[in-house]
Amino acid sequence: MGYKKNSYCSQGIRRGSAVLLFSLILSYFLTDVQSCAQVKLCDPNYTTDGEYWLYPAIYNYRPVKIYCKGMNTPTPSEYLTLFETNLFMYQNNRYTDGTSCSMETYEHENSGRTLYNKIGVDIRTMTIIETDSNFTTQIQGKVVRYGWVQSCSGYTSSCDYKGVAGMSVADTGLIFSGMNEWIKFGTDGEFSTVLRNDHTIALKGDGACGGGKPKYPIKLETDPSFSKLCTVV
Ligand SMILES: *[C@@H]1O[C@H](CO)[C@@H](O)[C@H](O)[C@H]1NC(C)=O
Ligand SMILES: *[C@@H]1O[C@H](CO)[C@@H](O)[C@H](O)[C@H]1NC(C)=O
């Protein structure tokens, strides 16, 4: 068996089935396994959806744990499994009038509450595909896009924004890039940052209807402080 094939295939290993240190060393030599499709090319026996180590070029081929969906199809796709709550709420209520903060039910056609359990990622750019809802839990109403913070409560300046976006990539081995930016959208769209650090971004926003949305696709970077990699074998 040739050296290339041997090393190439050693990288398409499933989590828990191989020694990571070995694949880390190999990744310095051969770096072909950048996508779920390439895992399949390496070994057609990998037909099960699950977590795989991929080596995205944009990370200089450092390993990232990615969930591969559709491994029994010719076009599998990549997801990041989330460990903390990632919740988006476009509320189904609004302020009753412009003078108080009392609220009434308002079933806006876009209102909804969505929990993301995994997020779709573009493996070439390591950005989040905000419209992919394959791994979500719908609590109410319509799917709310990942990263968007919005509502339609016609808030007044003395009342709170009602839309909520809670994002966390804690324990994934990745962080949110500091370059990510949000912009206002919609009618009277406004938003504010409740919390922001490498792993967590919490926003609230509102409008009539409007709020805040990512200016560009949300970018993920490798987490320099991530130590779990060293203990997973
Ligand atoms: C796939 O699995 C079969 C049966 O277990 C094995 O004989 C074959 O070598 C495997 N293919 C590769 C590329 O590892
Ligand atoms: C699910 O993922 C596929 C790609 O694998 C995509 O084409 C489809 O739009 C996604 N569906 C939803 C509901 O996001």
Side-chain angles (χ1 to χ4, degrees):
M1 186 182 287
Y3 177 72
K4 176 170 169 62
K5 181 169 170 46
N6 205 7
S7 347
Y8 177 91
C9 290
S10 296
Q11 293 177 57
I13 48 180
R14 294 203 60 174
R15 179 189 180 191
S17 67
V19 180
L20 181 69
L21 182 62
F22 181 55
S23 67
L24 268 173
I25 293 166
L26 287 174
S27 72
Y28 284 101
F29 297 99
L30 280 165
T31 49
D32 293 330
V33 184
Q34 294 179 41
S35 67
C36 297
Q38 283 170 331
V39 171
K40 278 180 66 81
L41 278 179
C42 160
D43 185 345
N45 288 348
Y46 288 127
T47 54
T48 315
D49 291 3
E51 306 284 343
Y52 291 82
W53 292 107
L54 301 185
Y55 299 78
I58 196 166
Y59 290 161
N60 289 321
Y61 310 105
R62 271 172 295 182
V64 179
K65 207 188 309 156
I66 291 290
Y67 184 92
C68 293
K69 171 181 176 290
M71 288 299 275
N72 57 353
T73 73
T75 54
S77 47
E78 291 83 11
Y79 292 83
L80 182 68
T81 298
L82 302 171
F83 296 103
E84 294 203 340
T85 304
N86 280 246
L87 173 65
F88 298 84
M89 297 199 290
Y90 185 137
Q91 305 287 13
N92 56 346
N93 53 25
R94 66 180 169 191
Y95 291 113
T96 309
D97 53 54
T99 55
S100 75
C101 294
S102 61
M103 305 214 65
E104 63 186 11
T105 301
Y106 176 45
E107 296 288 351
H108 188 271
E109 57 179 346
N110 292 329
S111 67
R113 296 177 192 198
T114 306
L115 273 170
Y116 282 78
N117 310 306
K118 300 184 197 298
I119 40 178
V121 291
D122 180 331
I123 204 73
R124 289 164 302 121
T125 57
M126 286 309 291
T127 56
I128 297 172
I129 301 167
E130 62 192 31
T131 53
D132 192 315
S133 60
N134 277 292
F135 295 98
T136 56
T137 305
Q138 196 61 22
I139 300 167
Q140 174 253 318
K142 292 279 174 58
V143 174
V144 185
R145 279 187 179 206
Y146 193 91
W148 289 45
V149 58
Q150 53 189 317
S151 214
C152 199
S153 71
Y155 69 95
T156 65
S157 54
S158 55
C159 306
D160 220 5
Y161 300 147
K162 300 307 287 185
V164 173
M167 295 162 263
S168 171
V169 290
D171 291 331
T172 63
L174 300 179
I175 57 173
F176 291 114
S177 166
M179 307 283 280
N180 290 316
E181 278 181 65
W182 273 257
I183 52 169
K184 296 174 186 179
F185 79 95
T187 305
D188 298 334
E190 297 282 350
F191 70 95
S192 63
T193 303
V194 178
L195 174 70
R196 180 162 181 171
N197 58 43
D198 285 352
H199 295 110
T200 309
I201 300 176
L203 309 172
K204 56 183 184 177
D206 215 323
C209 314
K213 64 176 183 178
K215 186 172 182 182
Y216 306 111
I218 301 171
K219 205 162 176 42
L220 298 166
E221 293 174 354
T222 52
D223 184 349
S225 68
F226 195 59
S227 57
K228 276 196 178 171
L229 280 174
C230 302
T231 57
V232 174
V233 290

